[in-house]
Amino acid sequence: EDQVTQSPEALRLQEGESSSLNCSYTVSGLRGLFWYRQDPGKGPEFLFTLYSAGEEKEKERLKATLTKKESFLHITAPKPEDSATYLCAVQAGGQNFVFGPGTRLSVLP
Amino acid sequence: DAGVTQSPTHLIKTRGQQVTLRCSPKSGHDTVSWYQQALGQGPQFIFQYYEEEERQRGNFPDRFSGHQFPNYSSELNVNALLLGDSALYLCASSDAAQGLNTGELFFGEGSRLTVL
C-alpha cells in the first residue's frame, strides 16, 4: 500500500531562519511526487512536481529535492507569509494522489 | 478566469441524513476528483470522474457516490451520514491531457461538513 509520512508535524521558525521539511514515501512505481501549500480554510495550492531522484525545483524561497525514498522542501530565509501547511503527495500507478498529513509551518516576525 | 468553485461552503447534518455537495471545475478542465480531509490530516482520495464516468475509486464505502454532468461539473453524495464523515470535502479539477501527469490539480476551497 502506498504511504506518505511527513516530519516534523509542526515547525515554528523565526523570520529569516532557514529549515527543511521532510516527506518520506513508500510506493510501487512512483510516477511523481508533489508539494502543495494549504492556507487555513483554503484548498491546497500546487507548488512543485518531481519525477526522478536527483531532481530539484525552485520557486522564490522554496526548493524541493527528491531521492529514492524521500523528498525535502527547503525554505530559505522564510517570511511570515510562508506560514501554511505544506502537503506532500505521491502518484503511483493509478490516477489518484496519496497525500501525507502535512507539516504546519509558522514563521514568526 | 473562474477557478474551482464548490457549494455549499459549510453545512450541518445529523446522523443518518444524506448530503449532496457540488463542484464546478476550472474553465477548460474535464476531470474532477473528490477528496476528504479530516481535521489535521492530509486529503484522502474518494473518486475521480472523467467523461461522466467514475474512473477510479479510493477506499470509501458505497455510501459515497458521485456524478459528473456533460458540462464537467460534479456532485458528491453521501448517504446515511456518520459522525466520522465530518470533514472538509475538496474538489480538484484537472485537464486529463495534462494535469494528471504534472500533479497540478486545482482545488476548490472545500465544503465543510459537520455531522451531529
Side-chain angles (χ1 to χ4, degrees):
Chain A
E1 183 180 334
D2 302 336
Q3 285 192 326
V4 178
T5 59
Q6 293 186 246
S7 61
E9 183 177 323
L11 181 63
R12 296 181 72 177
L13 300 173
Q14 289 296 132
E15 184 172 1
E17 180 187 2
S18 301
S19 188
S20 296
L21 313 182
N22 176 265
C23 169
S24 296
Y25 62 91
T26 303
V27 65
S28 300
L30 179 72
R31 293 181 60 187
L33 183 139
F34 314 100
W35 283 97
Y36 285 80
R37 168 191 171 129
Q38 186 173 26
D39 293 305
K42 305 281 188 179
E45 177 187 346
F46 172 76
L47 293 173
F48 303 111
T49 307
L50 301 166
Y51 293 107
S52 57
E55 190 174 357
E56 298 183 352
K57 293 277 180 71
E58 285 190 67
K59 180 180 180 180
E60 297 181 358
R61 295 176 292 282
L62 301 176
K63 183 170 83 170
T65 61
L66 180 65
T67 72
K68 288 187 177 180
K69 294 291 184 185
E70 57 190 353
S71 176
F72 293 92
L73 184 64
H74 307 279
I75 304 175
T76 302
K79 298 181 178 182
E81 52 262 42
D82 294 322
S83 298
T85 294
Y86 290 86
L87 296 165
C88 171
V90 296
Q91 185 184 23
Q95 298 298 313
N96 62 302
F97 289 69
V98 178
F99 282 83
T103 292
R104 292 191 313 277
L105 174 66
S106 299
V107 182
L108 307 176
Chain B
D1 178 23
V4 179
T5 57
Q6 293 187 242
S7 63
T9 55
H10 295 84
L11 68 167
I12 300 173
K13 294 286 187 177
T14 56
R15 282 179 296 175
Q17 286 189 311
Q18 178 264 344
V19 67
T20 297
L21 308 177
R22 296 175 176 83
C23 171
S24 293
K26 179 179 169 63
S27 177
H29 285 182
D30 55 8
T31 302
V32 173
S33 302
W34 286 93
Y35 287 79
Q36 180 195 67
Q37 187 175 26
L39 202 60
Q41 301 296 316
Q44 281 198 303
F45 176 73
I46 303 175
F47 42 52
Q48 181 191 80
Y49 277 85
Y50 171 64
E51 292 187 332
E52 302 179 51
E53 289 189 10
E54 182 182 294
R55 295 292 177 169
Q56 191 168 3
R57 188 179 184 91
N59 190 23
F60 279 80
D62 291 344
R63 298 187 297 109
F64 289 77
S65 63
H67 189 77
Q68 186 178 35
F69 299 94
N71 67 353
Y72 307 121
S73 67
S74 177
E75 288 183 349
L76 165 65
N77 300 292
V78 186
N79 294 322
L81 285 168
L82 304 174
L83 295 179
D85 295 332
S86 295
L88 179 67
Y89 288 85
L90 293 163
C91 171
S93 76
S94 55
D95 180 348
Q98 299 179 14
L100 292 173
N101 291 322
T102 69
E104 195 162 359
L105 295 177
F106 287 80
F107 283 87
E109 298 200 345
S111 294
R112 172 74 61 188
L113 170 65
T114 301
V115 182
L116 302 177

